[in-house]
Amino acid sequence: MAAGWRRNTLMVHAGDGMFGDLEPTALPIYPATSFRSRSAESLDQLMAGQRQGFSYARHGNPNVDALVEAMMRLEGTETGIATGSGMAAIDAALYASGLAVGDRVLVSQDVYGASLSLLSTIWREAGVEVIVADLTEAGFFASQLEQSQPKAVLVETISNPLLKVLDIPAMSRLAHDAGAQMIVDNTFATPVMCRPAEWGADLVVHSATKYLGGHGDAMGGVVLGRHEHQDRLHQYLKLRGAVLGPFEAWLIHRGLRTLGVRFERQSANAKRVAKMLYDSGLFAHVYYPLLEDHPTYTTARKVLGDILGGAVVTLDLKGGKNEVFRFIDHLELVASATTVGDIYSLCLYPLIASHRNQTREERAKMGISDATVRISVGLEDPEDIALDIIKAATV
Ligand SMILES: *Cc1c(COP(=O)(O)O)cnc(C)c1O
């Protein structure tokens, strides 16, 4: 594989030809749970880490390794693992950061609902102090760092569902000055839009279930980091056992080959849908990172540029829960489904899904109301998507 290949070339080819002399254009799926060793000596060397190869599927699998290699090349990192889900990836990243009893972790209030719950239950019970705060303001972030002296910070490049964009380059510098590791969940932006490791993030996490796979048929996660994280990441996989299956790895790796065109087109579609919905005047609010009245518009332009704004549009309908239920039940093209990032357009109602474990006050603090719905824009014609939403909002 050539060293200087650019992003789209990498998406199509990274991870090819890693195994054997046959070099099939698509890697076969290796379901084997173990691999025979040619001699006791060679197994001994393999287990000692002196030789490359495979022994037991929880310790490594060719399909998983090919996917990880591709993601490392795409995100520009030195090491990585793949996990059975995005949640396992976040958990592994927290472990890799070195968080232990008595440490503090600072987390953006806008991260994925289950990430907040993971921290406030399992990690809190394990003796880690969890500080949840609005980290949109760089000045406020700096003072939070100084006050709480966290070991790790967890943020997302584009938040869910209100699509706030954080200044990851500036935040990484501040976190490092304070001696904290920066963990960035890049699920919503994908490496097409940004590569947080280039901005100083220590660990980058993906729910591969979303855009990386892209077709709504495989669950998985990826964690990427530096050499210093390698041992802990592999230890996590071997001992917690949250491994990705070979078939899922193969599907996600295949998805990756079209990520460039999918994400660019879905982003362009989302921009168009956001504009049409905004102009319709039918909604109390339309959130899209590249709309000028979005709260983090200036940061989005600064760190992400003005071409790609991501493929999610969030709306505040006029009304409350009853109106939202009626809206969802009248969508025809856009599917009501609790995921994001597929080639199909999807609608999610945070109140009953991603944020149902938060209180109304907590949601209000984040800016999520009873009328907030999230639209994940797919590959359909943007006019059809927008008209489906407008029709459902006017019945
Ligand atoms: C979906 C999601 C996760 C969790 O991933 P799973 O694959 O569902 O476990 C984490 N972070 C973000 C931003 C997500 O959208």
Side-chain angles (χ1 to χ4, degrees):
M1 180 153 306
W5 279 351
R6 289 164 185 78
R7 211 171 346 113
N8 284 295
T9 312
L10 282 176
M11 271 183 276
V12 178
H13 289 293
D16 281 357
M18 280 174 67
F19 310 98
D21 302 328
L22 287 175
E23 298 219 18
T25 48
L27 199 64
I29 300 170
Y30 292 88
T33 52
S34 72
F35 296 78
R36 288 171 77 140
S37 42
R38 292 202 180 89
S39 67
E41 172 74 23
S42 97
L43 179 61
D44 191 32
Q45 288 170 350
L46 184 68
M47 299 307 270
Q50 295 157 349
R51 188 172 71 74
Q52 295 275 317
F54 299 98
S55 57
Y56 187 57
R58 181 155 42 77
H59 295 204
N61 164 278
N63 298 105
V64 174
D65 277 18
L67 170 64
V68 171
E69 165 72 16
M71 285 305 296
M72 279 164 48
R73 295 289 301 268
L74 275 171
E75 290 275 12
T77 63
E78 295 167 345
T79 192
I81 57 164
T83 53
S85 71
M87 288 314 300
I90 289 168
D91 200 41
L94 291 166
Y95 176 72
S97 75
L99 262 188
V101 180
D103 288 336
R104 280 176 292 275
V105 56
L106 177 60
V107 54
S108 159
Q109 64 169 19
D110 298 314
V111 299
Y112 189 66
S115 303
L116 280 180
S117 303
L118 169 71
L119 283 165
S120 62
T121 56
I122 293 177
W123 281 87
R124 188 168 273 159
E125 282 164 31
V128 167
E129 194 183 329
V130 181
I131 300 149
V132 182
D134 180 355
L135 304 180
T136 347
E137 266 292 313
F140 184 73
F141 177 57
S143 72
Q144 279 290 313
L145 280 172
E146 200 175 321
Q147 240 176 52
S148 53
Q149 299 287 317
K151 181 129 195 187
V153 176
L154 174 66
V155 298
E156 292 173 5
T157 27
I158 306 179
S159 80
N160 171 40
L162 297 183
L163 314 173
K164 294 181 200 161
V165 175
L166 295 181
D167 190 344
I168 306 286
M171 291 175 82
S172 298
R173 281 192 296 274
L174 290 169
H176 292 159
D177 288 347
Q181 301 240 351
M182 193 73 182
I183 306 172
V184 178
D185 182 336
N186 201 29
T187 300
F188 270 52
T190 83
V192 177
M193 203 151 150
C194 65
R195 290 154 301 284
E198 290 174 1
W199 289 340
D202 300 281
L203 289 147
V204 178
V205 180
H206 282 276
S207 167
T209 316
K210 315 295 170 52
Y211 293 102
L212 304 186
H215 294 70
D217 52 15
M219 181 157 266
V222 177
V223 190
L224 304 152
R226 286 197 299 268
H227 288 309
E228 69 191 73
H229 301 116
Q230 187 158 328
D231 288 350
R232 277 191 158 246
L233 286 174
H234 284 100
Q235 166 130 318
Y236 182 93
L237 265 193
K238 284 182 192 173
L239 300 184
R240 293 275 199 212
V243 290
L244 182 66
F247 183 50
E248 279 73 18
W250 189 90
L251 282 172
I252 293 164
H253 195 178
R254 184 174 66 168
L256 212 52
R257 295 177 195 271
T258 56
L259 176 66
V261 279
R262 277 190 287 112
F263 194 79
E264 281 174 18
R265 174 66 78 85
Q266 286 177 240
S267 260
N269 283 358
K271 202 173 182 176
R272 173 111 183 88
V273 168
K275 182 83 174 47
M276 283 178 76
L277 298 182
Y278 191 87
D279 291 345
S280 77
L282 282 167
F283 303 94
H285 206 101
V286 178
Y287 296 88
Y288 188 67
L290 297 182
L291 284 177
E292 275 176 41
D293 64 354
H294 190 282
T296 60
Y297 175 73
T298 316
T299 310
R301 287 290 302 262
K302 181 176 142 202
V303 299
L304 300 174
D306 60 355
I307 298 168
L308 296 177
V312 178
V313 178
T314 296
L315 309 167
D316 281 342
L317 299 191
K318 289 179 178 163
K321 192 173 172 183
N322 290 339
E323 285 70 26
V324 174
F325 270 37
R326 198 168 61 216
F327 168 78
I328 290 171
D329 291 344
H330 281 89
L331 290 169
E332 267 184 276
L333 175 62
V334 179
S336 166
T338 56
T339 188
V340 61
D342 291 350
I343 51 174
Y344 330 101
S345 290
L346 306 157
C347 172
L348 173 136
Y349 186 20
L351 179 78
I352 61 164
S354 58
H355 290 74
R356 76 176 294 144
N357 291 329
Q358 274 72 42
T359 62
R360 174 161 282 112
E361 292 70 44
E362 284 170 332
R363 281 193 299 270
K365 249 179 76 188
M366 299 173 193
I368 302 168
S369 78
D370 287 5
T372 306
V373 294
R374 182 188 80 189
I375 308 288
S376 171
V377 176
L379 279 179
E380 303 93 340
D381 284 295
E383 290 74 15
D384 289 337
I385 302 166
L387 289 176
D388 193 48
I389 292 166
I390 287 171
K391 195 186 74 210
T394 42
V395 284

